[in-house]
Amino acid sequence: MASSDHPEIDSSRPHPARMWNYWIGGKDYYPIDQEVGEQIAAAFPGVGDIARHSRVCLGRMVRHLVAEEGVRQFIDIGTGLPTHDNTHEVAQRIAPECRVVYVDNDPLVLVHARALLAGRAEGRTDYIECDVRDPGRILAESARTLDFDRPIGLILFGIMGNVIDDDESQAIVRRLVEALPPGSFVAFNDGTGVLDREGREEAIRLAVEQGSSPYVARTPEEIARYFTGLELLEPGIVSTSRWRPEATPFGPPPEVDAACALARKVS
């Protein structure tokens, strides 16, 4: 936990986590987040679908890791505000002994940390107020809750686009993965600009102009670099809506402007 019980929250500037909460139908955002969120949605209409599909994709990956791969520990970086089916809820529903460490740098998430920490008694959840750019601290503090001799599921959903320098973002992921034991997994999801590059760029411009953090939309080919040395699980790097979706009579869901993958660390 952070040392301050009353972190300062700037309600005059939009924040990515709060706008995301607005797009997925949450209630924990300020008027500025709704205002800018609506401007972004007008310029980039697919953003709401990306947010919703990312949420359900996260649930599918966590369920697979717990039920099929036997993973019982998770580090969820850039977790955002609590909503339905948080990582610990999905994991502990299958295996109550699961342990989950949440990491985020938004003070509002800290205010809501108690909701995140309400896990099953058999397991454990914890929260670290930290930026993804400080992987050393994330790993050190996660070790208070997790056993780094056993497989860990590292979740990087919608976070690495906030690290706009390619070399820095690659180095961060590499540092995190290097610390994981063999048999661990990386669940990755981030925005692209493949379907609507113009809309995506305008959305980023609007957000930054209003005081939000910069963001870079990488191509699936650029995202593939994060998985160097890892073993991709089927179906590989795909549109976030297309990662093992639930079967329906209507065929596969439409693609969204985000890409994801799940990969195993073999050695």
Side-chain angles (χ1 to χ4, degrees), residues 88-108:
H88 76 278
E89 293 171 322
V90 175
Q92 293 178 355
R93 196 176 297 142
I94 302 169
E97 70 273 20
C98 284
R99 295 187 170 201
V100 179
V101 173
Y102 291 106
V103 184
D104 205 288
N105 69 342
D106 181 8
L108 186 60

Side-chain angles (χ1 to χ4, degrees), residues 166-181:
D166 287 338
D167 291 338
E168 182 184 11
S169 68
Q170 292 289 329
I172 289 169
V173 175
R174 191 162 53 247
R175 173 73 178 87
L176 291 167
V177 171
E178 285 173 351
L180 301 178

Side-chain angles (χ1 to χ4, degrees), residues 131-133 159-170 172 190 214-216 218 226:
D131 194 280
V132 70
R133 295 171 181 82
I159 184 64
M160 296 315 300
N162 297 114
V163 183
I164 59 175
D165 182 83
D166 287 338
D167 291 338
E168 182 184 11
S169 68
Q170 292 289 329
I172 289 169
D190 232 333
Y215 186 89
V216 59
R218 296 184 169 93
Y226 292 110

Side-chain angles (χ1 to χ4, degrees), residues 1 8 11 19 31 56 62 69 80 83 101 143 147-148 150-151 155 158 162 170 198-199 225 227-228 232 241 245:
M1 282 287 192
E8 293 185 7
S11 61
M19 287 192 290
V56 295
V62 172
E69 305 290 351
T83 180
V101 173
D147 179 357
F148 275 74
R150 297 171 52 227
I155 299 173
N162 297 114
Q170 292 289 329
E198 185 176 330
R225 292 178 56 205
F227 297 100
T228 301
L232 284 169
S241 57

Side-chain angles (χ1 to χ4, degrees), residues 24-95:
I24 63 173
K27 295 181 288 186
D28 297 310
Y29 53 84
Y30 291 109
I32 187 63
D33 303 305
Q34 179 177 356
E35 177 185 340
V36 178
E38 290 176 350
Q39 292 176 21
I40 289 173
F44 185 42
V47 68
D49 288 336
I50 292 170
R52 290 184 288 272
H53 278 289
S54 294
R55 193 69 193 178
V56 295
C57 178
L58 172 62
R60 292 196 299 270
M61 287 188 176
V62 172
R63 283 193 295 274
H64 173 81
L65 290 177
V66 178
E68 305 298 330
E69 305 290 351
V71 175
R72 297 293 184 266
Q73 306 184 106
F74 294 87
I75 304 175
D76 187 342
I77 303 178
T79 181
L81 291 157
T83 180
H84 62 282
D85 277 352
N86 299 295
T87 296
H88 76 278
E89 293 171 322
V90 175
Q92 293 178 355
R93 196 176 297 142
I94 302 169

